[in-house]
Amino acid sequence: CRPACPVSTVEGRETVTPWGKMRAMGEVIRGAVAAGEEHTRFELAWDCTACGHCRELCLLDNPADDTLMEARAEAVARGAEPEVVRRFRERFPRRLERLRERADALEGITDVPAGEGGTAYLPGCTAVTFEPETVALTARAVAALDPSGGCAVVAGECCGAPLLDAGDVVGFRAHARRFVAALGGFRHVVTSDAGCAWTLRRQYPRHGIETPAWQRVDHITELAARNLHDLARVNDRRRVIVHDSCRLGRGLGVYDAPRAVLRALTGEDPGEMPSRRERASCTGGGALLPATRPATAQAIAREVAGEAREAEGGDAVVVTSCASSRRQFRAGGFAAEDIAAWIARGVKKKTE
C-alpha cells in the first residue's frame, strides 16, 4: 500500500504511510502512548486524503481510510484534534452563511423550470463559491436532461461532508438531518459534485441518516449517460483527458459514465491518465489536507499535473467530476474543467 498513498509518496516518511498511520492509531486506542503524545499521534489521522487507493492495493483489504476517519472522530471526542481542525469546525457556521449569501446572488441566473418530477439539483459548496457561472449552466442542463423537464436549484445547502472530514461526527449527523429536511419534498437528487454524491449515497446510510423521500441520488454524469441522445458534439478541438475522482470512482464505482459522456461530446474516446479507474492517483485536495498540510497538498498537485502532461502533453485539458481536483490540477499548472460544464455545453448546443 505504500506507493498508493499520495501523502507518503511526496513526504517520504514511514510514519505517514498507511501502515504507519494505522499503527499509530492502534497505539492510541490501546492506550500505549505516553501522556502528552496523544495529540501527536492523532495528528497523523489528518495526514490522509481518505482516497481509498491504499485499500485497492492491500492484500488484506484493510480499510485504512475508514479507520483514520474514525480516529479523527475519536480525536475530536477527546479534544485532541489539531488546532487548525478545531478552528475549521468553529468557523463552519460562518462558512454556511457565506454559502447562502452566494446562493442568494445566484437566484437571478438559475431560473429554470421546476418540472413535476420532484428533482433537486445540488451544485455543491465549491462550485457555488468559486464557479457560479458553471452552476447556472449546469442547472439548465439538469432541467433539460431530467424526464420531468425541470428541477429546483438547491445552491444554499451543504451536505455536511466538511464536518465529517473534520472528525465532527455529532455535528455531521445533526447537519445531515437538517439537510434531508430541507430537501424532504424531492424524490430525485442530482449533484455535479462527486464528493456530495458519495456523501449522500455512502455516508448518510452509514451514519443512520434516513432519506425516505429520495428514490434516487445521481451524479450528473450518470443522468447524462442515460440520456446521451440529448447531448450534441461540442466545438472544442483540445484533447480531453478524463480524470477518475476518488469519490466518484473508488467511492461509488462510477467509471464508464464519464467516458461515455465525453465520447458523445467530443466524438472520440477521451485520453487517459497513466493511473486510472481503481488505480487512479489522488490529487491531494480532499479530507481537509490542503488545510492541515498545505505544502504536502501542493506537492501532490504538482505530481498529478505531471501525470497529465505525461498522458497527452501540455495542450490538453483534464475534465473531472471533482471540484477539489480541478483546483489541484490548476495549482499544479495544468488546465482542468468541470465535466458538468461540458455536459451543459452539449445540452445547450442540442437545444439551439
Side-chain angles (χ1 to χ4, degrees), residues 142-167:
V142 172
L145 291 170
D146 190 78
S148 71
C151 68
V153 182
V154 185
E157 297 291 340
C158 170
C159 67
L163 287 173
L164 199 58
D165 290 336

Side-chain angles (χ1 to χ4, degrees), residues 57-89:
L57 295 184
C58 180
L59 298 178
L60 301 177
D61 194 33
N62 280 324
D65 49 342
D66 290 343
T67 301
L68 292 172
M69 294 300 284
E70 291 169 4
R72 294 184 183 193
E74 183 65 22
V76 168
R78 298 188 190 189
E81 74 271 38
E83 178 64 19
V84 65
V85 174
R86 184 189 63 79
R87 292 197 303 268
F88 179 88
R89 291 171 53 227

Side-chain angles (χ1 to χ4, degrees), residues 267-315:
E268 61 182 9
D269 289 334
E272 298 278 358
M273 295 283 288
S275 301
R276 62 186 74 95
R277 292 185 176 264
E278 291 85 355
R279 301 294 176 86
S281 296
C282 175
T283 62
L288 297 188
L289 191 75
T292 58
R293 300 196 71 80
T296 298
Q298 291 166 12
I300 296 171
R302 291 191 292 270
E303 289 284 330
V304 294
E307 279 195 36
R309 292 187 189 93
E310 178 185 340
E312 296 289 342
D315 295 331

Side-chain angles (χ1 to χ4, degrees), residues 161-292:
L163 287 173
L164 199 58
D165 290 336
D168 188 355
V169 171
V170 174
F172 167 73
R173 290 171 179 168
H175 181 87
R177 292 187 181 98
R178 290 193 293 269
F179 177 86
V180 171
L183 274 70
F186 298 104
R187 297 190 296 276
H188 184 201
V189 179
V190 179
T191 180
S192 48
D193 189 290
C196 292
W198 174 80
T199 301
L200 300 183
R201 280 160 60 169
R202 292 289 184 266
Q203 296 305 311
Y204 275 30
R206 181 177 183 181
H207 287 270
I209 308 302
E210 297 182 356
T211 56
W214 300 355
Q215 296 176 4
R216 188 180 200 121
V217 175
D218 275 322
H219 186 264
I220 190 171
T221 56
E222 297 173 294
L223 176 63
R226 294 197 299 270
N227 296 276
L228 293 177
H229 56 279
D230 288 327
L231 301 179
R233 192 172 298 181
V234 300
N235 184 21
D236 197 317
R237 295 185 177 181
R238 292 175 299 173
R239 180 61 171 154
V240 169
I241 305 171
V242 63
H243 169 249
D244 293 304
S245 71
C246 305
R247 296 303 190 217
L248 193 65
R250 283 186 292 269
L252 295 176
V254 178
Y255 298 107
D256 294 335
R259 288 167 171 78
V261 167
L262 289 174
R263 191 178 303 115
L265 292 172
T266 65
E268 61 182 9
D269 289 334
E272 298 278 358
M273 295 283 288
S275 301
R276 62 186 74 95
R277 292 185 176 264
E278 291 85 355
R279 301 294 176 86
S281 296
C282 175
T283 62
L288 297 188
L289 191 75
T292 58

